[in-house]
Amino acid sequence: MASFHFPDGTAQAIAAKRRRRSRERVWAGVGLGMLALHGPAIAGDVPPNLPVKAPVTYTKAPRIPVAKSYDWSGWYVGAHVGVIRGSSNWSATPPATGGPGLNGSFNLPFNFDFMAGTGSYAVGLQGGYNYVFPSHVMLGFEADVSAPNSDVLVPYSVRGSQTVTSPLVGQVTYGEAVIQYGSARARVGYAFDHFLLYGTGGLAWTYDQVTRTQLAASPFAGAAPAGTLDTVLMWRLGWAAGAGIEIPVTGNWSAKAEYLWTGFGHLGVVFPVGAQGYSSDLSMQSIRVGLNYHIGNSSQIPDFLAKGPSAFETDTFAFHGQATYLNQYDPPFRAPYSGTNSLAPNIGRETADVTLYAGVRLWQGAEAWVNPELDQGFGLSGSVGVAGFPSGEAYKVGADYPYTRLDRAFLRQTINLGGEVQKVDAGLNQFSGPQTSDRLVFTVGKIGVPDIFDTNKYAHDPRGDFMNWSIVDTGTFDYAADAWGYTVGAAAEWYQGPWTLRGGLFDLSIAPNTTTLDSRFEQFQWIGEIERRYSIGDQPGKLAVTGFLTRGRMGSFEDAIQLAALTGGPADIAAVRQYQSRGGISMNLEQQLMPNVGFFARAGFANGDIEPYEFTDVDRTAAAGFSVSGKQWGRNDDTFGIAGVVNGITKVHEAFLNDGGLGILVGDGQLPNPGSERIMETFYSFPLYAARITLDYQLIVNPAYNRDRGPASVLGFRVHTQY
């Protein structure tokens, strides 16, 4: 377009200046209007805390801020959750009898069961490095590892199988399951202003289990007998390829979605009992969503190791994580005899877990949270041998391979009723923000009952304070849970002044102390709690009373003893179960004695004539202890704790164990000299870089109520980090 210049002072020049000023006012108004209209979108796409290396620059007119492109260069680490499906083509060589081979194919289909927490999903970790050229082309590499879901007793949810019938082999099922998998891949992409598109490819690996199950025998000699199971574990190497998109979210955090295809060539094994060679390929497809924390260049790695990642929370989303490693060892102790559920002397065991806490705000006061978790390891003696078991990080089942569980998936609704406005800090399963002292809170979904009931600030977290089951929770509180400590149900809380009333209804396992929840809700539990907060001499405290009523198929100890007298065998509680009720009540006290010094106490009573359903074998309990902050001696972030607990059972419960009965955690085969189980625990924890180290000691007198065994010492070492 041509432009014209008028001499200053002429009528034409004056008119031109007026027109230019008018146009400038119009364009400035339009620019401000567009900024007002699109402000939320800009805030959502380009959060103010993005880790940009260049400052925000401004144009001269109309002076709207323009952020430079997101800088993807540097190191990063992160986590992902994905769903998986796959397929396998297989062939089997002739058995020893000769004849033609067999071949077929099967899928590893997608499945999911919310009640059981099982399905074809995985949780994993990744890390890598990006470099973005001035042309916006990105080159990088990434390595990842994923652990699929497993319920341990029927392991490996990512699995498939095919059953074939042949005159030479009879009826046989061939199957394959994925235990772990991962990849190391190059990434090539293009960095747009506020998102990254990339393709990826490289090496993949997987650790699998292949099986051959003989369902019906063949009439020919040399074939495996019916019921034979051949199992072979094997590593596979292959390739991976896919594509993804990544966008900045807040601070140093970015979110990604990725599709990945992995393929593995044919690999052969030999089933020794079935006398067959077997070969199969495997391919898998996964869709993943994840988060990456961008560390930056190598000089920033020490700061990351010392402080950990910054918090992730936006107006809508929040993400937190934790990782805990716990190792325990019990030196040799006196053990003249042992039974099925005895604590073995001179053993060491470890557990490790990584939990992801992902939340979203749904509407005013409503939050939804999911907590997938990676678990691995065992408690001492497979988590048996002591009623007050020494590790709250150990479940009643365990595995020597990492596996994924969906621990929690719940909705929480908070309704403010007035009173003092309180500030809530962001945390695990908690958004930051204000709430009033008077409020209603409703929680529904899959949770842990101790998330809401029987809480205590000084003794309630086996990842942060004491470790013993009957110290972090009341031993007689036989709360509903599967073998991992979680259940499905609903709870309501009413906070009014210094009082809180809580109530809940929760699902029990299909049978006492089992891994599967009752999908029909025929076995259930009612829980009620009343809490009173107060101050004594300006020192805060609270007292809570909790009661439960369990309705399900449970056995009476007296009935089991009488049946054993008739049969001449050991007392079998499962043989006398019938639908009935079992209840209990407990008290929970926390009291600050002075700044940095806290005291806690618990006591509980439960019906000792009927077997406990879920938690542990305790009919009477009393516990007390102290928690002292290191501020008392100039170590502000250290904590020292010491506590003791006495657990007991009824006389009929003792007689049941003496007749060879087995409880949830105890049962030495006999109990001629019963006594109260007495436990002392002390710990010292201190920070190291972004983690917290805990040294722990427990002395257990009369483990499993047996005076003939012990005393047993348990040495503990714990590393925990969270953000």
Side-chain angles (χ1 to χ4, degrees):
M1 179 182 296
S3 61
F4 298 91
H5 175 71
F6 298 97
D8 288 343
T10 66
Q12 293 92 338
I14 294 172
K17 287 182 179 180
R18 289 175 178 172
R19 288 193 295 270
R20 284 198 300 270
R21 290 170 183 165
S22 177
R23 286 196 299 268
E24 288 172 359
R25 286 193 294 269
V26 170
W27 286 113
V30 171
L32 292 173
M34 293 179 66
L35 179 62
L37 288 173
H38 295 285
I42 293 174
D45 295 339
V46 191
N49 296 323
L50 285 179
V52 292
K53 293 185 177 179
V56 176
T57 60
Y58 297 88
T59 60
K60 289 186 177 180
R63 300 189 63 83
I64 301 174
V66 179
K68 290 191 175 181
S69 299
Y70 187 88
D71 188 355
W72 296 96
S73 294
W75 296 96
Y76 64 89
V77 294
H80 63 265
V81 179
V83 294
I84 315 164
R85 60 172 299 167
S87 62
S88 182
N89 299 297
W90 61 270
S91 62
T93 60
T97 55
L102 301 171
N103 61 78
S105 64
F106 54 80
N107 291 325
L108 282 65
F110 174 76
N111 63 88
F112 183 75
D113 185 334
F114 177 78
M115 292 291 289
T118 59
S120 305
Y121 62 91
V123 167
L125 305 174
Q126 73 268 352
Y129 183 84
N130 294 327
Y131 183 79
V132 179
F133 293 90
S135 63
H136 289 218
V137 173
M138 184 277 294
L139 295 180
F141 67 86
E142 180 174 294
D144 66 82
V145 60
S146 298
N149 165 254
S150 174
D151 70 356
V152 180
L153 297 184
V154 184
Y156 320 135
S157 294
V158 180
R159 63 178 184 265
S161 62
Q162 185 177 18
T163 300
V164 297
T165 302
S166 166
L168 291 177
V169 301
Q171 189 176 43
V172 178
T173 297
Y174 299 98
E176 183 163 359
V178 179
I179 303 174
Q180 299 165 38
Y181 71 98
S183 65
R185 297 171 278 113
R187 301 207 312 172
V188 180
Y190 189 86
F192 294 88
D193 283 348
H194 303 303
F195 66 95
L196 173 69
L197 284 178
Y198 64 89
T200 181
L203 298 176
W205 60 268
T206 181
Y207 185 53
D208 297 345
Q209 179 196 67
V210 291
T211 57
R212 181 188 187 277
T213 306
Q214 189 80 43
L215 301 178
S218 165
F220 294 92
T228 299
L229 174 63
D230 274 322
T231 299
V232 178
L233 299 175
M234 65 180 184
W235 292 92
R236 292 182 181 270
L237 291 178
W239 55 268
I245 183 172
E246 193 164 351
I247 60 173
V249 183
T250 182
N252 288 39
W253 291 94
S254 66
K256 74 171 188 175
E258 183 178 76
Y259 171 80
L260 199 65
W261 184 299
T262 53
F264 305 90
H266 275 269
L267 185 64
V269 298
V270 175
F271 293 124
V273 180
Q276 274 192 303
Y278 177 85
S279 175
S280 69
D281 64 11
L282 174 69
S283 65
M284 294 189 297
Q285 305 88 47
S286 64
I287 298 175
R288 307 173 174 184
V289 293
L291 291 170
N292 284 327
Y293 183 81
H294 295 264
I295 301 171
N297 59 43
S298 298
S299 65
Q300 295 170 299
I301 293 178
D303 186 65
F304 171 76
L305 295 176
K307 299 179 181 178
S310 59
F312 176 102
E313 183 173 337
T314 69
D315 291 339
T316 304
F317 299 101
F319 181 83
H320 300 276
Q322 76 82 34
T324 304
Y325 171 84
L326 193 153
N327 192 299
Q328 290 187 321
Y329 168 69
D330 65 329
F333 60 85
R334 182 170 60 97
Y337 58 86
S338 297
T340 303
N341 282 1
S342 290
L343 179 68
N346 195 29
I347 59 172
R349 291 292 184 268
E350 52 83 23
T351 58
D353 52 64
V354 177
T355 315
L356 309 180
Y357 303 83
V360 57
R361 295 184 195 264
L362 300 176
W363 54 82
Q364 181 66 37
E367 306 170 10
W369 290 89
V370 293
N371 297 170
E373 182 173 283
L374 282 168
D375 294 318
Q376 184 272 329
F378 299 87
L380 296 173
S381 298
S383 301
V384 297
V386 187
F389 193 73
S391 173
E393 277 286 88
Y395 302 124
K396 296 170 186 173
V397 292
D400 55 7
Y401 58 91
Y403 63 95
T404 295
R405 294 283 302 175
L406 182 61
D407 285 348
R408 300 179 184 88
F410 66 90
L411 170 68
R412 181 196 297 126
Q413 174 69 62
T414 301
I415 302 174
N416 289 322
L417 301 178
E420 179 185 357
V421 177
Q422 303 169 342
K423 178 185 177 182
V424 179
D425 295 327
L428 306 184
N429 288 334
Q430 181 64 61
F431 277 93
S432 62
Q435 67 181 19
T436 60
S437 58
D438 299 340
R439 62 190 183 276
L440 295 173
V441 182
F442 301 96
T443 307
V444 60
K446 187 174 185 182
I447 61 172
V449 169
D451 296 343
I452 299 173
F453 298 89
D454 194 38
T455 64
N456 192 297
K457 67 183 295 184
Y458 301 118
H460 194 57
D461 181 8
R463 293 168 175 166
D465 48 63
F466 295 94
M467 300 179 184
N468 192 278
W469 282 26
S470 55
I471 293 178
V472 297
D473 294 304
T474 304
T476 55
F477 184 26
D478 188 25
Y479 60 85
D482 59 15
W484 290 269
Y486 302 94
T487 186
V488 173
E493 304 173 78
W494 179 24
Y495 293 79
Q496 186 68 38
W499 295 90
T500 299
L501 295 177
R502 299 184 179 94
L505 174 65
F506 301 97
D507 195 22
L508 293 169
S509 300
I510 193 69
N513 192 36
T514 54
T515 61
T516 306
L517 294 174
D518 183 0
S519 61
R520 301 178 63 179
F521 236 90
E522 292 179 343
Q523 335 265 342
F524 61 90
Q525 183 179 78
W526 292 98
I527 302 177
E529 183 172 273
I530 183 169
E531 175 187 295
R532 177 65 161 85
R533 295 172 294 280
Y534 58 86
S535 293
I536 298 178
D538 294 329
Q539 302 301 316
K542 76 172 186 179
L543 177 66
V545 177
T546 307
F548 72 88
L549 180 65
T550 297
R551 291 286 293 163
R553 291 183 56 82
M554 295 169 283
S556 161
F557 294 128
E558 184 63 36
D559 291 345
I561 293 170
Q562 293 179 3
L563 181 61
L566 294 176
T567 62
D572 182 6
I573 199 71
V576 296
R577 284 173 178 156
Q578 56 181 319
Y579 200 85
Q580 54 185 321
S581 298
R582 181 176 187 267
I585 191 169
S586 60
M587 176 276 295
N588 178 356
L589 170 72
E590 67 177 53
Q591 177 64 57
Q592 180 173 298
L593 302 180
M594 57 184 293
N596 308 316
V597 178
F599 171 77
F600 75 92
R602 285 187 169 100
F605 168 93
N607 185 343
D609 298 329
I610 299 172
E611 65 172 321
Y613 203 100
E614 304 282 31
F615 186 42
T616 189
D617 310 273
V618 180
D619 302 327
R620 314 282 187 270
T621 188
F626 298 88
S627 179
V628 185
S629 169
K631 291 180 180 180
Q632 295 293 109
W633 53 91
R635 294 275 300 179
N636 291 357
D637 296 321
D638 293 6
T639 304
F640 168 75
I642 187 168
V645 61
V646 179
N647 297 320
I649 53 176
T650 60
K651 293 297 183 182
V652 68
H653 199 161
E654 292 174 354
F656 166 77
L657 295 174
N658 194 40
D659 277 3
L662 297 177
I664 294 176
L665 301 185
V666 305
D668 294 324
Q670 54 181 302
L671 191 62
N673 298 299
S676 297
E677 185 180 83
R678 301 192 297 273
I679 302 170
M680 185 276 293
E681 179 179 5
T682 184
F683 75 87
Y684 191 92
S685 71
F686 56 92
L688 181 64
Y689 294 105
R692 176 167 286 275
I693 308 297
T694 302
L695 305 177
D696 186 89
Y697 173 74
Q698 298 179 52
L699 177 66
I700 305 172
V701 180
N702 305 331
Y705 310 107
N706 195 340
R707 295 180 184 270
D708 295 338
R709 295 172 60 84
S713 293
V714 177
L715 307 177
F717 172 77
R718 179 177 63 200
V719 182
H720 171 75
T721 184
Q722 72 179 55
Y723 70 91

